[in-house]
């Protein structure tokens, strides 16, 4: 049986160091990829996504619906509930209360025959944003 000499320590260390460095770099790349997408999404890690706008209950239409931290179904419910809150005080009315637990703010451009508006509703880290056009 041949006797083996002492291992070549510098070469073995270099191989182990190289393997460890490669594994560390791969782990760092994965961490940056995961952390980078969450940083872009905001502090809660929810990215905004576009949804199919619901059917408008009156004379007009929802032109867009975007949600963050909630489902598209919930976003549709909030948009329609906001419409009902707003129109309780007339066709050109405004909603001043909470809607399904969300606080909403509206930015409006109006002419005598039409309302174009962007509504943003928030509850904690959840956001529902919709735009609508309504004939008056």
């Amino acid at each position: 049986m041949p006797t083996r000499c002492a291992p070549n320590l510098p070469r073995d260390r270099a191989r182990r160091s190289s393997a460890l460095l490669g594994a560390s770099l791969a782990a760092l790349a994965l961490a940056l990829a995961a952390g980078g997408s969450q940083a872009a999404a905001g502090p809660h890690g929810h990215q905004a996504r576009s949804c199919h706008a619901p059917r408008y209950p009156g004379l007009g239409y929802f032109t867009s619906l975007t949600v963050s931290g909630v489902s598209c179904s919930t976003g549709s419910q909030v948009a329609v509930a906001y419409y009902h809150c707003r129109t309780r005080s007339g066709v050109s009315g405004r909603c001043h209360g909470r809607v399904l637990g969300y606080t909403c703010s509206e930015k409006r451009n109006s002419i005598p025959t039409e309302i174009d508006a962007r509504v943003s509703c928030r509850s904690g880290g959840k956001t529902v944003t919709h735009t609508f056009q309504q004939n008056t």
Side-chain angles (χ1 to χ4, degrees), residues 22-127:
S24 297
L25 287 175
L28 179 62
L30 285 173
L32 286 175
S37 65
Q38 288 216 348
H44 300 288
H46 297 289
Q47 291 185 335
R49 66 179 185 274
S50 294
C51 302
H52 180 73
R55 186 180 154 288
Y56 198 76
L59 296 173
Y61 50 91
F62 290 112
T63 52
S64 71
L65 175 64
T66 305
V67 298
S68 177
V70 296
S71 67
C72 289
S73 174
T74 298
S76 292
Q77 291 173 359
V78 171
V80 171
Y82 183 83
Y83 165 84
H84 289 296
C85 175
R86 186 175 60 77
T87 57
R88 274 188 211 117
S89 56
V91 173
S92 299
R94 293 191 181 255
C95 181
H96 297 289
R98 292 173 64 86
V99 176
L100 300 178
Y102 289 77
T103 302
C104 301
S105 63
E106 178 182 311
K107 303 285 186 214
R108 219 179 243 207
N109 292 320
S110 302
I111 60 174
T113 58
E114 184 178 285
I115 300 168
D116 292 300
R118 176 181 181 85
V119 180
S120 183
C121 300
R122 294 185 190 340
S123 176
K126 302 178 245 176
T127 304

Side-chain angles (χ1 to χ4, degrees), residues 8-33:
N8 190 343
L9 291 177
R11 189 177 307 167
D12 287 346
R13 273 193 208 139
R15 283 184 192 146
R16 275 187 253 138
S17 294
S18 177
L20 185 60
L21 178 62
S24 297
L25 287 175
L28 179 62
L30 285 173
L32 286 175

